[in-house]
Structure formats: structure tokens, C-alpha cells
Amino acid sequence: MNLYAIKAIYKFEMSRTMRTLFQSVVSPVISTSLYFVVFGSAIGSRISEIEGISYGSFIVPGLIMLSLITQSLANASFGIYFPKFTGTIYELLSAPVSFIEIIMGYVGASATKSILLGLIILATAELFVPIRIAHPYWMMLFLVLTALTFSLFGFIIGIWADNFEKLQIIPLLIVTPLVFLGGSFYSISMLPPLWQKINLFNPVLYLISGFRWSFYEISDVSITLSLSMIMIFLGLCLATVWWIFKTGYQVKQ
Amino acid sequence: MRNLISINELSKTYTGGFQALKDINLNIRDGEILALLGPNGAGKTTLISIICGIITPSAGSVYVDGYNIIKDFRITRSKIGLVPQELTTDSFESIWNTVTFSRGLFGKPSNPAHIEKVLKELSLWDKKDNKVMELSGGMKRRLLIAKALSHEPKILFLDEPTAGVDVKLRQDMWQLVGDLRKSGVTIILTTHYIEEAEEIADRVGVINKGEIVVVEEKTELMRKLGKKQLTLELFKKLEAIPKHLSPFNLELAREGSQLIYTYDTQAERTGITTLLGELHDASIKFKDLSTTQSSLEDIFVALVKDEQ
């Protein structure tokens, strides 16, 4: 195992975060605060409690997940796409590193950044609404697994993309709608029956449901199902990444 | 001298069907400077990209210091430093960070003293805190060399190292290559500047259309394939070459005022004495004479032309 390489990639990616601190951290925190102002106070004050939880508090896990998923995708996809775009990927390909080490460096850095961001948003939310975390270890587990899974997914998008448009298309057209549909701002029991059934095919639903359960012990699906779904998605992403490196898809000729 | 890199029956066909390399066999010796010459698209970059691990070969094998480049990629790649043709750099990083990153990537523990030494040797020390984007083209080229040397490689690949650089930098580069060789680094450079190969290489390999045309000691290549020409400046212009001089295959130039005799340097007899005697007998007088030897460029052009 080339630990020095993992450390080098990790540090390099983290220093990129520090260089783009405003874009990476401050911007999501500001937009999340705006969500609290708009949804939590302005609209939320007119919405009754959901299963005994005020609307403002109810949306906190969903908002954290929204940022966690979108930031994990953005960090990891850009992290690997940029060397491809500038041509510096030659160094990565000619270095004595295996695909596992490359993944550990890039995905590790992306997940770290997203988790830190999630915790910052959690701290920000504390300023607006009362929050109770019933199962902190489960909350951290969901946070870490979601950040890792979507960082891996972002890595795959970064490898697949051969232009900036492709880099944006999946996060914007598929993932963000899935996050909104997955119950970030509501319980799916509030949806019409048909949409409830459609939503069961939405993987993000299971993540948000499990994450919300770790806070308030209320969920749309069982915690076991939530955990199983995220593990399946993680496994699928790992298998895809393994295939990418084995075949050299979009990386090696 | 033992072989450090052994390339056997190496072929590469790209997805589109273009065959970039055809059954390449080549041995690169420990401690030598090998120049790979070839026109654009000859397969030079594909060859070194395969050895470095950037491109997957379609067939054949490559061994570096006895290790297979695919099975033992960790060992082989850690021995190699690559300076690519394109100026591909992390524009927003500092020089120090990007060179330190390269060392770590190649599995070496942090060694600020070595990074400092490399940056000083390449006249980049003063710029160590600058961002890469602030460097000139020549400095970026030197930075790529610094990155390649950061992990103390045993083999250095320089892909068109002096493409687009000024004369001063080119000479500095040649000096650096010479110094690296003295320190025991084996250097393989691709170029289409013939004078570069002529100046610094020990051996020259000519590659054309994916095939190795010739690999030879530079001096031997010039001796074997080089021709010499004797040019005589005549007192009086000749309208035609006298018939009895036809065995010499003379050439009349400059409207008959110059007589050129091409001869083989390897032949036991060059025929110069006989020719001069024949000219004397035919009362053809000359006021001056000079000899010239074909350069590596002439040899290269002839080899590539023959292939076509």
C-alpha cells in the first residue's frame, strides 16, 4: 500500500478546499441559512408539526443531506475531472499507485470536506431551531456512509465526463430532483399515494429517512432498509469504480 | 553495459484501429542517453507512455530493471520519472507544493532538503512560493523536470524537452541532462531536433510509422551511414563531365564551376588519389577543395525517406 501517495492526494485535495474556502464552505452555509429563513420561519410557521416535530426542526436532517450529497458529488467529480481536463492526470497514471489508493485519496478528501460541511450546517441550524439527536452514532454512520457513497458516485461522474456540461448534468438533472423528491422538506406520507409508491424507487429517500430517524426516531421506511439501501448503493459505486480502473475507461488508452 | 529496459515485441493499436507501434524490440542500457528520433506521429510518445504506464500495450512486454511493467508496476514506476511533452501543470498550486505532491505520489517520504536541491538546480528556488500560473513557459518546463526528479528516479524520460524553448534554455537543458547522466540516471529523450540528439545522445534510435528503423551508437551510425563529399572549385567551368571520369559518379554543380565527389568513409580506398590523378591528366585544374560529412539530420532524412 502506497500510503505516501494516499496522503499526497488527500493533502492536495484538501488544500484545494482551503484555496476555495468561500465557494466550498461559506456558500453552502449561506444557502442553508436561507432555507431556514424561507422554509423554517416564513413558510414553516404556517405548517403544523410533523409527528410532533416542528417543521423547522424536521427539515434539518434533509437540509444536511441535501448539502452533503450535492457537495460530495461536486467535490469528487471536480477533483478527478480537473486533472483530466488540464492533462496532469499523466502523473497519476505513471505513479506507483493502485486504483484503491487513488480512490482513498480523492474520495477520502471529498468525503472529509462534505462531512465537515454537514457538521457546520448542523451547527448553523442550531442557531435557528431546536435540534435533538437521539442516536448520535447512527447519525455519524449515515453521514459518513452517505458522504463516501456520493463521493464515489461523484468520482465516477468525473471519470465519465469529458466536458464541463457532462460534469454538471447528472447532479443537476438527476440527483438534485431526487434529493428534493426524497423527503428533504417533508415526510413522504404527505404525498399522494402514487407519488409515495414512485418515491420508493428513489434511493435518496432511504438516506434521508434513516438520517432523520437518527435525529427524531421518525422515519418513512425502516432503519434496516435504509442502511441496506445505502450499502447496496455503496457496493454498486465500488464495483463501477473497480471496472473503470480495470478497463481504463475514459482514463487510459 | 547491462540492459536496464527491455522492450519485446511491443505493439499498440488504438481503439479506432490505428496501429501506433508494430512489434518494437529495443534494449536501453543502464546509464546511457538514448535519443529517439522520428517525425510527428511516428510512435515516440506512445512508446514512452507504455513504459511509464499511461497507455496499455496491445501486445508484447516491457521489463524495467528486470521487473515487468504491468505485474510489478509499483517497482517499475517508482524507478521512472517522466517529463511530458505538453506543459501540463496545476496552475493554482505553488511550486513547492506541486513538487512535494509528486514526491509523495511516487511513494517517497517527505524530504524538503531534496526538493530544495532539485529546485535550486533548476533555478526555481526563488519562485518556490509562486503559483505555477505565474511562471513563464521555460520555467514551467523546468518545473516539470523538477516534479519528475522529485522522487529520485533511476530512469528519466524526456518527451520533446526542448520543444518551443529558447536557445539558452535548450543549452541549460542539455547541461542538466549531462549532469544527470553523470549521477547515474539513464535518460531517454524523444526529439525531432536532430542537433539535440547529435549533441547529447550516446545512442540514437530512429522510429518511423511505429517501427524502429535503426538503433545505433551515435558515432557508429554516423560512420556507417554517413557519407563524405569532396568539393572541388574549378578554375574553368565545365560543360560536361569527361566520359573517362564516369566511374567516379561525379556531380557538376554551380553551373559547372564545382565538381562534387561522394565517397564512402568505410571503404578501404576512398578513390580520392586516383580521382585527383585523373583530373590532373585531363588538365582539369581547381583553385580550392573542401570535404563535408553528412550530419545526423541527413542520415535521419535518408532513413525516413527510405522507409516511405
Side-chain angles (χ1 to χ4, degrees), chain B residues 233-254:
Chain B
E233 301 287 340
L234 303 176
F235 257 117
K236 282 184 184 174
K237 286 183 180 178
L238 284 179
E239 286 187 5
I241 296 166
K243 274 187 182 173
H244 71 280
L245 294 177
S246 57
F248 293 98
N249 288 320
L250 297 173
E251 195 185 322
L252 208 52
R254 287 204 186 161

Side-chain angles (χ1 to χ4, degrees), chain A residues 129-187:
Chain A
V129 288
I131 295 167
R132 174 173 61 88
I133 304 171
H135 305 284
Y137 292 113
W138 279 96
M139 186 213 68
M140 278 311 293
L141 181 70
F142 271 104
L143 205 63
V144 171
L145 282 178
T146 307
L148 279 176
T149 305
F150 279 85
S151 292
L152 268 172
F153 189 34
F155 189 85
I156 294 165
I157 294 170
I159 294 280
W160 166 75
D162 49 19
N163 56 48
F164 278 98
E165 195 187 358
K166 275 189 176 176
L167 197 65
Q168 298 290 336
I169 205 159
I170 292 182
L172 283 178
L173 288 184
I174 300 172
V175 178
T176 308
L178 286 181
V179 176
F180 277 94
L181 272 174
S184 302
F185 298 104
Y186 50 84
S187 162

Side-chain angles (χ1 to χ4, degrees), chain A residues 2 4-5 7-9 12 88 90-92 94-97, chain B residues 77-78 80-82 84 88-90 93-111 114-115 118 143-153:
Chain A
N2 187 346
Y4 291 114
K7 190 178 154 194
I9 297 170
F12 194 84
T88 53
Y90 84 87
E91 204 175 15
L92 207 57
S94 62
V97 287
Chain B
R77 291 185 198 174
S78 62
I80 296 173
L82 167 67
T88 48
T89 49
D90 303 297
E93 270 299 339
S94 73
I95 279 84
W96 179 267
N97 282 353
T98 192
V99 178
T100 306
F101 167 73
S102 298
R103 185 178 169 84
L105 196 61
F106 278 76
K108 287 283 171 84
S110 167
N111 184 349
H114 177 70
I115 306 290
V118 169
L143 173 65
L144 288 177
I145 298 176
K147 280 166 78 70
L149 294 176
S150 66
H151 64 282
E152 301 156 73

Side-chain angles (χ1 to χ4, degrees), chain A residues 24-66:
Chain A
S24 306
V25 179
V26 181
S27 168
V29 168
I30 290 173
S31 48
T32 309
S33 302
L34 286 173
Y35 275 119
F36 281 117
V37 173
V38 176
F39 289 101
S41 305
I43 299 172
S45 58
R46 293 162 190 263
I47 298 175
S48 58
E49 287 186 345
I50 303 169
E51 298 186 46
I53 310 292
S54 73
Y55 185 70
S57 301
F58 181 84
I59 64 170
V60 171
L63 279 179
I64 294 172
M65 273 288 165
L66 179 67

Side-chain angles (χ1 to χ4, degrees), chain B residues 138-260:
Chain B
M139 283 178 178
K140 280 182 186 160
R141 180 74 63 189
R142 291 208 296 267
L143 173 65
L144 288 177
I145 298 176
K147 280 166 78 70
L149 294 176
S150 66
H151 64 282
E152 301 156 73
K154 200 173 162 54
I155 303 158
L156 184 66
F157 282 93
L158 296 159
D159 196 1
E160 305 276 359
T162 52
V165 303
D166 61 29
V167 179
K168 171 75 174 64
L169 184 58
R170 188 178 300 179
Q171 283 170 347
D172 288 350
M173 208 80 86
W174 291 350
Q175 177 69 43
L176 175 76
V177 168
D179 292 345
L180 284 169
R181 198 261 292 271
K182 277 181 203 156
S183 69
V185 177
T186 302
I187 295 155
I188 298 98
L189 63 96
T190 70
T191 183
H192 48 240
Y193 292 123
I194 314 292
E195 75 248 39
E196 195 158 82
E198 202 166 348
E199 182 79 21
I200 57 176
D202 298 312
R203 284 199 306 156
V204 174
V206 177
I207 184 166
N208 191 34
K209 292 181 178 171
E211 289 175 295
I212 296 275
V213 180
V214 67
V215 184
E216 193 63 85
E217 299 283 341
K218 180 183 65 184
T219 46
E220 188 67 10
L221 184 70
M222 290 180 75
R223 198 177 67 82
K224 269 188 187 172
L225 300 172
K227 287 175 183 172
K228 264 193 136 176
Q229 286 188 325
L230 170 70
T231 306
L232 300 165
E233 301 287 340
L234 303 176
F235 257 117
K236 282 184 184 174
K237 286 183 180 178
L238 284 179
E239 286 187 5
I241 296 166
K243 274 187 182 173
H244 71 280
L245 294 177
S246 57
F248 293 98
N249 288 320
L250 297 173
E251 195 185 322
L252 208 52
R254 287 204 186 161
E255 297 169 340
S257 66
Q258 235 179 29
L259 207 53
I260 298 169

